[in-house]
Amino acid sequence: MIYNVHALHTFNKSWHLREIFQLSSYFAPLPSNVMLKMVKKSLLTISECPPLGLESLKVKDAQLRASSYKRRGLGPHRGRLNIQSGLEDGDVYDGAWCAQYRDKNQWLEVDAQRLTRFTGVILQGRNSIWSWDVVHTYKVQFSNDSLVWKPCMNGTEETPVLALFNTSTVARYIRINPQTWYENGTQGDICLRAEVLGCTLPDPNNIYAWQTEATGSRDKLDFRHHNYKEMRKLMKSVNEACPDITRIYSIGKSYAGLKLYVMEISDNPGKHELGEPEFRYVAGMHGNEVLGRELLLNLMQFMCQEYKRGDQRIVRLVKETRIHLLPSMNPDGYEMAFKKGSELSGWALGRYSHEWIDMNHNFADLNSGMWTAIELETDQSKLINHYFPIPEQYTSEEAFVASETRAVINWMQNIPFVLSANLHGGELVVTYPYDMTRDWAPREHTPTPDESFFRWLATAYASTNRVMSNPDRRPCHNKDFLRYNNIINGADWHNVPGSMNDFSYLHTNCFEVTVELSCDKFPHASELPIEWENNKESLLIYMEQVHRGIKGVVRDKDTEAGIPLISAFTHFTLHMITYITVFIYYCHFLWNKNVFIIPSSVADGDYWRLLNPGEYKVTVSAEGYLPSSRTCQVMYDHYPTICDFRLTKVPKQRLKDILAKGGKLPKDLQLRLRQLRLRKLRVTTKAMNQRRAAAATAKQAKRV
């Protein structure tokens, strides 16, 4: 069969005859006009070709080869854009591919595994604390069989540098061949990290069926990156589509004046309902970690659509939970990263606020004060372990606190959140408090009294995430979290003083974990549909965990009014009767008495406590009331155990309230007052008799 090779040349003159004939063999069953139509369709503009996926790990280690490498930790599998090294040079997690020899014959090769239209490459230097290795110029070569290579072009540092080819080339293999590099006397090595841009050609014969992977989603969502204006527009469209269950509000502004918008999803938006827990997702704390932002935008669209369709799981979530979604906590940083775009923003551009503040180190350090109090206080029963006050110096106007951080703290204080997750990027793991080590060690396992339940929360997300739960996945950078089942105590990973997780737990008793969503901080838009599928179930099932444990309402026995937290510090003493011995251990490790202040609404008196299954003795006490206790059993069901309390005021307080209203004393109170008077009279009489006896004894002694 003969094909019109000249016509094919008119589309792209860089295609050589040998490549054309090789390409035609793949399309052999098709007539020439059909083949040409498919090739035309594949010849997109250069900017439309996405990365192959070296950074996102879509390209597997087996697809990377090199002419040589210095050691295993600097092998071709480490030549991925933005890959991060370990603390020590020389380990198996170094920060680039580095050739063993320093000559112009070294190369890094990528096998696309099928014919691909290559349009460009992105290069970085080596990531290392101790070494500085950068390639200055390089050649790019292509091949269809890895034996015969065709040169294309003659061409960096930590910042990614994009090189687009003047003309694209169709091939299966691509090689990057460094020509000059930073020699550093005689110590400079040939090291680089790379990403390759290319569009795979259509495969009518499906001869690569073994390689076929799901690359999309059936959900009709807006899968693209949204800047500030586009995000606001999308949120408005969701609100207009589902006005009965959504509300948009702002919790404050960024340093540059961009509003921090929140989408509320509830069957009664704008109102706290008695007994309904408050849940939040926060994304974009680091502006260049963008996947969380897009997932929350997808989530609000999805929940609106499914609620209208009558999906019972979504309907139940909306009716039983008040959900708050903050897609961008750091909009200033995001705008910086967005302008550079995917693959080019690097590892740090946009991470910090406009004032160069890392917000995950910007919350008040309450851990240090807690641990100091534990060391100094001899009476352990006087220690508190929740609702720690914010230090005065932190709240002053001179304190170096980002406006975004202040806005989120105010948000936390105004709404009684029960459960939260902070969405990050750059790894695949779920971390839980504490994030800060007790003695400022670089890393050390530092558990909370709720270690067992935090592990449950982290596992609920990680075990349902498609990528995290894949036992065959490779580590992202320099730590293999598969060994920990993809969850880890935050401080056991690295020390993070002033984290939002620790602050949320200690100041408001809202349980919060950090979810590192992907190896790639800024995935290409083409990867967003599959990332949604990877995380959709995890996002939903994590929200459902807010309904575990116990909840109830604390009321006044006489008036049936809720006892608000604002007027009475309501303490709940939890003593586990059976099961969960770890819980008891950690409670006694920090405090002799298992006293917890539980999240409560400002005015209604309802409360929540996330707990693992087990039997608990719950004691409730409030200022001006007599304590009350009962046993509450937490089951394995997906709904909380109801534990309501009705507290009786102490007689003195009841008397004051009744007399203030001009009411008549009830008989039980009259009897109680009579008993108190008699008791007081007996105590007074006894004291007088003791004084008289003492005086008589002294008088007699004086006479003697």
Side-chain angles (χ1 to χ4, degrees), residues 97-243:
W97 159 69
C98 290
Q100 181 178 1
Y101 308 106
R102 301 185 184 97
D103 59 48
K104 296 184 179 182
N105 298 319
Q106 305 306 307
W107 44 261
L108 176 68
E109 177 184 305
V110 181
D111 177 6
Q113 295 190 326
R114 60 185 297 176
L115 286 180
T116 301
R117 179 173 167 267
F118 294 108
T119 60
V121 295
I122 302 171
L123 259 60
Q124 274 177 315
R126 179 182 178 185
N127 173 264
S128 172
I129 300 174
W130 315 106
S131 304
W132 179 259
D133 298 299
V134 182
V135 168
H136 294 312
T137 61
Y138 55 95
K139 294 179 180 179
V140 177
Q141 300 171 308
F142 302 95
S143 174
N144 283 328
D145 54 14
S146 76
L147 299 175
V148 180
W149 292 87
K150 184 198 77 171
C152 171
M153 62 168 286
N154 293 314
T156 78
E157 307 158 358
E158 177 67 21
T159 301
V161 177
L162 169 67
L164 292 175
F165 306 150
N166 293 329
T167 53
S168 58
T169 301
V170 173
R172 172 175 168 174
Y173 300 90
I174 181 172
R175 276 184 182 176
I176 300 168
N177 174 210
Q179 297 297 294
T180 61
W181 53 92
Y182 176 63
E183 297 188 4
N184 190 23
T186 59
Q187 301 301 312
D189 288 319
I190 300 174
C191 300
L192 61 84
R193 294 174 288 167
E195 182 61 88
V196 177
L197 306 181
C199 299
T200 55
L201 294 182
D203 184 9
N205 296 325
N206 198 29
I207 63 172
Y208 297 106
W210 54 271
Q211 189 196 354
T212 303
E213 296 180 359
T215 57
S217 171
R218 294 182 179 180
D219 298 324
K220 304 301 180 183
L221 308 177
D222 189 6
F223 293 116
R224 61 190 177 96
H225 290 293
H226 299 78
N227 62 20
Y228 177 75
K229 291 182 178 179
E230 293 166 340
M231 179 190 74
R232 186 172 58 182
K233 184 178 179 181
L234 185 147
M235 294 176 72
K236 184 179 179 182
S237 69
V238 172
N239 177 240
E240 290 172 348
C242 295

Side-chain angles (χ1 to χ4, degrees), residues 249-252 254 258-262 326 328-329 331 404 407:
Y249 66 96
S250 171
I251 62 171
S254 70
L258 302 180
K259 290 185 177 181
L260 307 182
Y261 285 113
V262 177
L326 173 59
S328 186
M329 180 179 167
E404 298 89 343

